[in-house]
Amino acid sequence: MEKIIFFDVEDYEREFLQKNCEGKYNYIFVSEPLNDLKPVPEEYSDVRIISCFTNSRVNKEVLAQFPRLKLIALRSVGFNHVDISYCKEHGIAVETTPNYGNDSVAEFAIGLLLDVARKITRSYINLKNQEVNPIASVGFELAGKTMGIVGLGKIGSEMARLAKGFDMKILGYDIKENIELEEKYGVEYTTFHNLLEKSDVISLHSPLTAENLHLFNKETFKKMKNNAILINTARGELIETQALYNALAAKEIAGAGLDVLECEETLSNPDYLDDIDRLNDNYLRKTLLNNRILNLDNAIVTPHIAYDTTEAIHRILNTTMENIAAFINGKIQNNIIEELS
């Protein structure tokens, strides 16, 4: 019976996974994420299949501890937390769960936008502290404003639909143009430079690649409107953290709604405090800046939960188990290694 180890397992996933593994696989559930902060137990080393979420950091040091590994069944559409080059070199398939959270993530992005634009969380905190200041709560309407969407795949397309519902003008930037989005939602494809200059709101829905790492940086923020809001539910590494903090603190932009950050795992994973000396300078700097951003009045930060709905979770788990079953039956599906080749 095939052994499968599931990392990053939340309580709400256990019943589903157990039901779908019982009698089929020799399975192990591990609550902690997979990373190089702790060695992999020896009894795990012979496994051919592992499954994890984006909280894991599956680098070459981790992968080297699984000499028989042939499949990483990701419970996510993102894969930048896995060393893809190592997997390709060692014949390890990396399967994702595409299209599980298109509605969930886009709706959450709109929620972040409304929160920042109307200062909802800030007003709530002030009221709890018995500080009622109507002037400090002045926001702006979305109707008539320009929404710039970077990345118009499945989630970005859903964001366009929602923005259209708020009667917003929509600018789009992507490597491919979708005529259907132009016809249905009035998306106007434009250059990245023009999107920066014209948008009142910019929402990021692009996968992380080597080409768009730190797409938003010191120079980028200078080109944006001073009253613009930046929303990121994609990947934290799309934004250079120092530049983001400087832009928010200096009010170069009006605000940001962030569900993702660079080095976000250091804020949510207590393992990083067990041996803090193992954190390199980059992690320490980004963690310090992330904590500063958390305390800014014009930023809302959430812990990478845009996907986190009952419907999306069920889709993730269903696709994960389908991916595993297909692999065991000799078929590899949703393999990002093949897509990138």
Short mmCIF file of all heavy atoms in Angstrom, two decimals, residues 17-18 27 32 54 62 83 93 96 125 129 156 178 198 204 224 250-251 260 304 311:
data_model
loop_
_atom_site.label_atom_id
_atom_site.label_comp_id
_atom_site.label_asym_id
_atom_site.label_seq_id
_atom_site.Cartn_x
_atom_site.Cartn_y
_atom_site.Cartn_z
N LEU A 17 -9.54 14.12 4.26
CA LEU A 17 -8.38 13.35 3.83
C LEU A 17 -8.41 11.92 4.36
O LEU A 17 -8.10 10.96 3.64
CB LEU A 17 -7.09 14.05 4.27
CG LEU A 17 -6.77 15.37 3.57
CD1 LEU A 17 -5.56 16.04 4.22
CD2 LEU A 17 -6.53 15.15 2.08
N GLN A 18 -8.82 11.79 5.61
CA GLN A 18 -8.89 10.44 6.19
C GLN A 18 -9.92 9.58 5.47
O GLN A 18 -9.66 8.41 5.16
CB GLN A 18 -9.23 10.54 7.67
CG GLN A 18 -9.19 9.19 8.38
CD GLN A 18 -9.29 9.34 9.89
OE1 GLN A 18 -9.41 10.44 10.41
NE2 GLN A 18 -9.24 8.23 10.60
N TYR A 27 -1.23 6.41 5.17
CA TYR A 27 -1.13 7.86 5.21
C TYR A 27 -0.67 8.35 6.59
O TYR A 27 -0.92 7.73 7.62
CB TYR A 27 -2.46 8.51 4.85
CG TYR A 27 -3.60 8.14 5.77
CD1 TYR A 27 -3.91 8.93 6.88
CD2 TYR A 27 -4.38 7.02 5.52
CE1 TYR A 27 -4.96 8.59 7.73
CE2 TYR A 27 -5.43 6.67 6.35
CZ TYR A 27 -5.71 7.47 7.45
OH TYR A 27 -6.75 7.13 8.28
N GLU A 32 2.59 20.34 11.10
CA GLU A 32 3.60 21.35 10.83
C GLU A 32 3.93 21.40 9.33
O GLU A 32 3.84 20.41 8.62
CB GLU A 32 4.89 21.04 11.60
CG GLU A 32 4.77 21.17 13.10
CD GLU A 32 4.04 20.01 13.74
OE1 GLU A 32 4.00 18.92 13.11
OE2 GLU A 32 3.46 20.18 14.83
N THR A 54 1.13 26.01 0.93
CA THR A 54 2.10 27.08 0.67
C THR A 54 2.88 27.48 1.91
O THR A 54 3.89 28.20 1.80
CB THR A 54 1.39 28.33 0.11
OG1 THR A 54 0.33 28.72 1.00
CG2 THR A 54 0.80 28.04 -1.26
N VAL A 62 15.51 20.19 1.88
CA VAL A 62 14.39 19.35 2.28
C VAL A 62 14.22 18.17 1.33
O VAL A 62 14.09 17.02 1.75
CB VAL A 62 13.09 20.18 2.32
CG1 VAL A 62 11.87 19.28 2.51
CG2 VAL A 62 13.14 21.22 3.43
N ASP A 83 11.35 24.01 -4.85
CA ASP A 83 12.52 24.11 -5.73
C ASP A 83 12.23 23.30 -7.00
O ASP A 83 12.49 22.09 -7.07
CB ASP A 83 13.77 23.58 -5.02
CG ASP A 83 15.05 23.85 -5.80
OD1 ASP A 83 14.99 23.89 -7.05
OD2 ASP A 83 16.11 24.01 -5.17
N ALA A 93 7.54 14.86 -10.03
CA ALA A 93 6.39 15.60 -10.54
C ALA A 93 5.87 16.54 -9.45
O ALA A 93 5.85 16.17 -8.27
CB ALA A 93 5.29 14.64 -10.98
N THR A 96 -0.32 20.65 -9.08
CA THR A 96 -1.03 21.75 -8.42
C THR A 96 -2.53 21.52 -8.46
O THR A 96 -3.01 20.54 -9.06
CB THR A 96 -0.70 23.09 -9.09
OG1 THR A 96 -1.16 23.05 -10.46
CG2 THR A 96 0.80 23.36 -9.08
N ILE A 125 -11.31 49.64 15.03
CA ILE A 125 -10.31 49.72 16.10
C ILE A 125 -10.47 51.01 16.89
O ILE A 125 -10.41 51.02 18.13
CB ILE A 125 -8.89 49.59 15.52
CG1 ILE A 125 -8.67 48.19 14.96
CG2 ILE A 125 -7.83 49.91 16.58
CD1 ILE A 125 -7.38 48.03 14.19
N ASN A 129 -11.52 51.62 20.92
CA ASN A 129 -10.70 52.45 21.81
C ASN A 129 -11.41 53.74 22.21
O ASN A 129 -10.79 54.64 22.79
CB ASN A 129 -9.36 52.78 21.14
CG ASN A 129 -8.50 51.55 20.94
OD1 ASN A 129 -8.54 50.61 21.73
ND2 ASN A 129 -7.70 51.55 19.87
N GLY A 156 -7.82 36.92 -11.99
CA GLY A 156 -7.87 38.29 -12.48
C GLY A 156 -9.11 38.57 -13.30
O GLY A 156 -9.69 39.67 -13.24
N ASN A 178 -7.05 38.94 -23.67
CA ASN A 178 -8.26 38.12 -23.79
C ASN A 178 -9.38 38.99 -24.33
O ASN A 178 -9.91 39.86 -23.63
CB ASN A 178 -8.62 37.55 -22.42
CG ASN A 178 -9.78 36.58 -22.47
OD1 ASN A 178 -10.57 36.58 -23.41
ND2 ASN A 178 -9.88 35.72 -21.46
N LYS A 198 -2.42 55.61 -14.39
CA LYS A 198 -3.84 55.92 -14.52
C LYS A 198 -4.73 55.27 -13.46
O LYS A 198 -5.87 55.69 -13.27
CB LYS A 198 -4.32 55.48 -15.91
CG LYS A 198 -3.61 56.16 -17.07
CD LYS A 198 -3.94 57.62 -17.15
CE LYS A 198 -3.19 58.32 -18.28
NZ LYS A 198 -3.51 57.77 -19.61
N LEU A 204 -3.19 42.81 -7.78
CA LEU A 204 -2.23 41.86 -8.35
C LEU A 204 -2.79 40.45 -8.36
O LEU A 204 -3.23 39.94 -7.33
CB LEU A 204 -0.92 41.89 -7.55
CG LEU A 204 -0.29 43.25 -7.32
CD1 LEU A 204 1.08 43.10 -6.67
CD2 LEU A 204 -0.18 44.05 -8.60
N MET A 224 3.00 55.64 -9.46
CA MET A 224 1.59 55.49 -9.08
C MET A 224 1.03 56.80 -8.55
O MET A 224 1.76 57.69 -8.10
CB MET A 224 1.46 54.40 -8.01
CG MET A 224 1.76 53.00 -8.51
SD MET A 224 1.80 51.76 -7.18
CE MET A 224 0.11 51.88 -6.53
N ALA A 250 5.55 57.10 3.77
CA ALA A 250 5.69 58.46 3.25
C ALA A 250 4.43 58.94 2.53
O ALA A 250 4.41 60.05 2.01
CB ALA A 250 6.88 58.53 2.30
N LYS A 251 3.39 58.09 2.50
CA LYS A 251 2.12 58.40 1.82
C LYS A 251 2.34 58.67 0.33
O LYS A 251 1.63 59.47 -0.27
CB LYS A 251 1.41 59.58 2.48
CG LYS A 251 1.17 59.40 3.97
CD LYS A 251 0.23 58.24 4.25
CE LYS A 251 0.08 57.98 5.75
NZ LYS A 251 -0.56 59.04 6.50
N VAL A 260 -0.66 38.72 1.30
CA VAL A 260 0.63 38.03 1.15
C VAL A 260 1.76 39.03 1.35
O VAL A 260 1.62 40.21 1.04
CB VAL A 260 0.76 37.36 -0.23
CG1 VAL A 260 -0.15 36.15 -0.35
CG2 VAL A 260 0.45 38.35 -1.35
N HIS A 304 -2.53 35.36 4.53
CA HIS A 304 -2.63 34.46 3.37
C HIS A 304 -3.87 33.56 3.47
O HIS A 304 -3.77 32.33 3.46
CB HIS A 304 -1.37 33.60 3.24
CG HIS A 304 -1.14 33.09 1.85
ND1 HIS A 304 0.11 32.89 1.33
CD2 HIS A 304 -2.01 32.76 0.87
CE1 HIS A 304 0.01 32.43 0.08
NE2 HIS A 304 -1.27 32.34 -0.22
N GLU A 311 -15.94 26.28 0.11
CA GLU A 311 -16.02 25.81 -1.26
C GLU A 311 -14.64 25.59 -1.86
O GLU A 311 -14.36 24.57 -2.51
CB GLU A 311 -16.80 26.82 -2.12
CG GLU A 311 -18.27 26.97 -1.76
CD GLU A 311 -18.51 27.94 -0.61
OE1 GLU A 311 -17.51 28.45 -0.02
OE2 GLU A 311 -19.68 28.19 -0.29
#
